[in-house]
Amino acid sequence: MLKNMSAKFYFFEADETGDEKLRFRSVRNLDITSTDAAINTLADIYSNLANDEYTIVEKEQTYVIN
């Protein structure tokens, strides 16, 4: 049974020395019926708000196993 769903949006950010680091933003407690398209739309919205380019969008699902 699917218990919980969240998403991670990965992006690159330059530090003080100019090196690029892979960072991510997490969005927790998404509706468990959310489609991949809806999560990608959410990533686009966050991208516009934060002015980041999300190169990887990852969906995480937590299941309860009896």
Side-chain angles (χ1 to χ4, degrees):
M1 175 174 71
L2 183 58
K3 178 184 175 186
N4 191 348
M5 187 161 39
S6 61
K8 285 187 179 179
F9 307 141
Y10 292 87
F11 61 99
F12 289 98
E13 181 177 78
D15 63 6
E16 319 67 64
T17 63
D19 294 333
E20 286 191 340
K21 306 259 182 192
L22 184 63
R23 307 268 187 198
F24 67 89
R25 297 190 193 288
S26 293
V27 180
R28 295 181 175 87
N29 299 323
L30 295 175
D31 183 3
I32 60 172
T33 61
S34 297
T35 63
D36 292 346
I39 292 173
N40 285 330
T41 301
L42 184 62
D44 289 339
I45 292 168
Y46 269 77
S47 177
N48 289 334
L49 291 173
N51 201 23
D52 291 327
E53 181 66 33
Y54 298 123
T55 55
I56 302 169
V57 176
E58 182 179 77
K59 178 171 70 173
E60 296 180 329
Q61 296 175 321
T62 304
Y63 288 89
V64 174
I65 301 173
N66 293 332

